[in-house]
Amino acid sequence: MSDKRVVIIGGHGKIALLAAPKLTQAGYSVDSVIRNPEHAEDVSAVGVNPVVLDVEQADVETLAEAFAGAEAVVFSAGAGGGSPARTKAVDQDAAMRTMDAAAQAGVSRYVMVSYARAETDIHTLEPENSFYPYAAAKHHADNYLRGTELDYTILGPGRLTLDPASRKLQILDADGAAVAKEEGGEGVTHTSRENVAEVIAHVLSERVAVKQTVNFFDGETPLEEAIR
């Protein structure tokens, strides 16, 4: 196993299961944090180490112990469309604790999997909208991360698909991501989950996009040119 270790939060998620083997191919060892021990076999099957830990309940000290000695933390967890209270508990509060824990453990590199309109949706959606709790949680977590001393990268993919990785992207700023759907239609705002996994491995292994927010859809620019 490599002494370069990455800890993925939300290790049983679709993106995490795709990213983990790409990270091992890039020379990392990977601890994938999962809440449900029944998911350990799925995580092991992609060649990485399952760690059973409920981040919704874990305090900063417990998380810091899990992160100790790692080179980077990747947050790819989420409540998965649960209640607004649980969405806040996982996507916002737990995410913030992992940031504090990374700092406490001396792990400076942190990658957040967010979504393309996280900077703007909170200003355009009505609070009664069913998507608002998620938008608010991601917005506040992202902003908290920007205020830390961590060497963060915030990734903002579009509507996620199961398409294979093209390793070709379209990079947008916050305003561009917000209007792309209205201007170009639904298809132009899609992002393959496997492309997200490729981007996670790329920004970590190449040490790029530090202290940056990268909003991206599937596009025509090769990954290595799009993010450098």
Side-chain angles (χ1 to χ4, degrees):
M1 293 289 284
S2 169
D3 59 0
K4 299 193 305 178
R5 182 166 63 94
V6 175
V7 180
I8 302 179
I9 309 298
H12 192 254
K14 292 183 177 69
I15 289 173
L17 288 171
L18 291 166
K22 297 181 190 300
L23 287 166
T24 62
Q25 291 164 15
Y28 293 95
S29 63
V30 178
D31 284 347
S32 282
V33 175
I34 54 176
R35 179 176 61 88
N36 186 346
E38 295 181 1
H39 293 158
E41 186 175 346
D42 293 341
V43 170
S44 296
V46 298
V48 299
N49 180 48
V51 176
V52 179
L53 177 63
D54 186 351
V55 296
E56 186 178 355
Q57 305 298 327
D59 59 18
V60 171
E61 288 70 24
T62 301
L63 292 164
E65 289 176 6
F67 299 165
E71 183 172 298
V73 171
V74 176
F75 191 91
S76 188
S83 69
R86 185 156 187 268
T87 295
K88 181 177 183 294
V90 177
D91 292 271
Q92 178 176 321
D93 298 343
M96 290 177 179
R97 287 197 300 275
T98 67
M99 300 167 201
D100 293 341
Q104 182 171 309
V107 182
S108 62
R109 193 72 170 100
Y110 189 105
V111 176
M112 166 63 75
V113 179
S114 186
Y115 78 104
R117 299 190 315 278
E119 293 182 69
T120 56
D121 271 355
I122 193 171
H123 304 300
T124 59
L125 293 175
E126 296 295 331
E128 297 76 19
N129 188 299
S130 61
F131 191 72
Y132 185 87
Y134 177 78
K138 296 302 288 185
H139 177 86
H140 293 314
D142 290 355
N143 273 350
Y144 188 86
L145 180 55
R146 294 185 183 104
T148 70
E149 297 299 317
L150 297 171
D151 291 331
Y152 69 83
T153 302
I154 299 171
L155 302 181
R159 184 181 294 275
L160 296 170
T161 74
L162 294 173
D163 294 337
S166 64
R167 304 190 88 257
K168 293 183 178 181
L169 309 176
Q170 175 189 5
I171 305 297
L172 305 96
D173 61 16
D175 292 335
V179 303
K181 178 178 175 180
E182 286 74 15
E183 290 186 349
E186 191 75 21
V188 300
T189 65
H190 287 172
T191 308
S192 156
R193 286 180 175 86
E194 192 174 6
N195 269 342
V196 181
E198 292 281 2
V199 170
I200 291 170
H202 175 71
V203 299
L204 287 178
S205 63
E206 298 300 318
R207 303 180 187 275
V208 293
V210 176
K211 295 190 182 295
Q212 293 182 25
T213 299
V214 183
N215 298 313
F216 61 99
F217 303 147
D218 295 342
E220 298 299 327
T221 304
L223 168 58
E224 290 79 7
E225 295 180 20
I227 304 175
R228 56 186 179 181

